[in-house]
Amino acid sequence: MLYFRHLLVNPRDRRVVIIESVLCPSHFRDTLTRVLFKHFEVPSVLFAPSHLMSLLTLGINSAMVLDCGYAESLVLPIYEGIPILSCWGSLPLGGKAIHKELEYQLLEQCTVDTGLAKGQSLPSVMGSVPEDIVEDIKVRTCFVSDLQRGLKIQAAKFNIDGSAERPSPPPDVDYPLDGEKILHVVGPIRDSVVEILFEQDNEETSVATLILDSLVQCPIDTRKQLAENLVVIGGTAMLPGFLHRLMAEIRYLVEKPKYKEALATKTFRIHTPPAKPNCVAWLGGAIFGALQDILGSRSVSKEYYSQTGRIPDWCCLNNPPLEMMFDVGKAPPPLMKRAFSTEK
């Protein structure tokens, strides 16, 4: 359906570039590859990490890439086109965590106006809120506060003795559920649900510490260049105020003794890719797919897969040595040629 109804191309004439996460399960890659080669008979398949492909949109070789998506936030440093896999980090903080917190607060605090009565509690009208509605409420009404306001919201949330006061909330918002129901989203929910990304738990971890912890693990001669080249991708990064708050959190935390002694650099810069954060990796994959020479050397051909039955893991932008791709002592499978070669 994808090829013949939407793309209107023959799959046998098109190479496939798949942008994947570093945490992509192996069985998913194997199943998808088997379907593409056996069912669609594509000429070649390439699995490329989203963090590395994002750098192609900026034309840089080294950066600290943070992918703040739906299931988790994952950071991976890339130096001279090579991912430093020993320094990656991940936390279950993303769109899914925000949706869970937002649904809980909606059911706890919000009211609904119906055609029969006004001010009814949300649980009495609907037992749970569908995730697509929760996501739409998040996108339309929620935002990320600045650092000082965020610290006050966190202090009021975890206030034990009752001394901390919450800053004045934003105005309430009316959200239409359908033609007969209107949901009243109270102001404190709009700026508090996103604080889950920056609240430091007992282990003192957050989205900002994820970057700093990964930076500390990197070789000392690479830290300055990585700190000055931060790239943030993912749909969660599109929330209003997210990048400003992330940079403020990093500059606030880097002055603490935990990072002040380990990191000599105090300069951090975030790049602005030429696309929305949730499309940067796709754009990088499209650019990489247009590079026929590199794509041919990095792709796994149908002949190679038929002989070995496996997909090699990605390592870097450079061409892999033959002993990594093929068994030593055996004739290597045929390499891919250009899709539209002019050779006779």
Side-chain angles (χ1 to χ4, degrees), residues 13 87 116 176:
D13 299 334
C87 302
L116 301 177

Side-chain angles (χ1 to χ4, degrees), residues 337-344:
K337 292 184 178 181
R338 295 187 180 184
F340 303 97
S341 178
T342 57
E343 299 177 1
K344 296 183 180 179

Side-chain angles (χ1 to χ4, degrees), residues 23-40:
L23 303 181
C24 180
S26 298
H27 66 85
F28 176 81
R29 302 169 78 246
D30 296 338
T31 302
L32 183 57
T33 304
R34 185 167 58 253
V35 170
L36 290 173
F37 278 133
K38 301 297 184 182
H39 182 70
F40 292 103

Side-chain angles (χ1 to χ4, degrees), residues 63-308:
M64 179 73 69
V65 185
L66 171 66
D67 185 359
C68 195
Y70 174 75
E72 73 273 331
S73 294
L74 193 149
V75 63
L76 178 65
I78 298 175
Y79 189 75
E80 296 298 333
I82 301 177
I84 309 178
L85 296 177
S86 60
C87 302
W88 72 278
S90 177
L91 286 175
L93 298 176
K96 186 177 182 179
I98 297 177
H99 295 171
K100 184 178 179 180
E101 178 69 16
L102 179 57
E103 182 182 9
Y104 171 77
Q105 293 198 25
L106 288 175
L107 295 172
E108 187 75 16
Q109 304 180 30
C110 294
T111 59
V112 178
D113 291 345
T114 63
L116 301 177
K118 294 185 178 181
Q120 300 185 56
S121 62
L122 183 58
S124 63
V125 178
M126 50 196 312
S128 62
V129 185
E131 189 170 15
D132 58 337
I133 295 180
V134 174
E135 181 180 9
D136 192 55
I137 294 175
K138 177 195 71 174
V139 172
R140 294 178 181 273
T141 66
C142 297
F143 61 92
V144 183
S145 303
D146 57 27
L147 178 61
Q148 299 301 326
R149 180 183 176 87
L151 293 177
K152 293 179 181 179
I153 294 175
Q154 295 178 23
K157 179 179 179 180
F158 300 104
N159 187 22
I160 299 178
D161 55 2
S163 58
E165 294 184 1
R166 192 193 188 285
S168 58
D172 300 348
V173 174
D174 292 339
Y175 180 85
L177 292 176
D178 53 33
E180 298 181 353
K181 301 183 184 69
I182 295 180
L183 174 64
H184 298 288
V185 181
V186 295
I189 294 180
R190 298 177 56 195
D191 60 352
S192 62
V193 292
V194 190
E195 291 299 320
I196 193 174
L197 301 177
F198 304 100
E199 294 172 356
Q200 296 190 24
D201 54 11
N202 294 332
E203 297 180 356
E204 295 185 352
T205 57
S206 66
V207 175
T209 61
L210 194 63
I211 296 177
L212 296 177
D213 291 338
S214 177
L215 196 60
V216 170
Q217 298 176 27
C218 293
I220 190 171
D221 57 336
T222 66
R223 296 175 186 174
K224 183 177 186 297
Q225 187 173 358
L226 293 175
E228 295 178 353
N229 294 275
L230 301 179
V231 179
V232 183
I233 63 176
T236 305
M238 298 176 65
L239 287 170
F242 179 85
L243 295 180
H244 181 271
R245 174 66 179 277
L246 179 63
M247 182 61 70
E249 288 277 348
I250 292 175
R251 291 171 177 168
Y252 172 73
L253 293 172
V254 79
E255 297 296 335
K256 292 190 174 182
K258 178 181 178 181
Y259 301 107
K260 190 174 183 179
E261 300 175 358
L263 296 176
T265 179
K266 299 294 187 296
T267 304
F268 294 87
R269 297 188 181 93
I270 296 181
H271 284 275
T272 303
K276 294 182 179 180
N278 60 339
C279 298
V280 174
W282 180 89
L283 179 59
I287 295 174
F288 190 83
L291 304 176
Q292 293 293 330
D293 294 332
I294 301 179
L295 182 63
S297 61
R298 293 296 314 185
S299 298
V300 176
S301 64
K302 183 179 180 182
E303 292 82 1
Y304 172 81
Y305 182 79
S306 299
Q307 293 186 21
T308 62

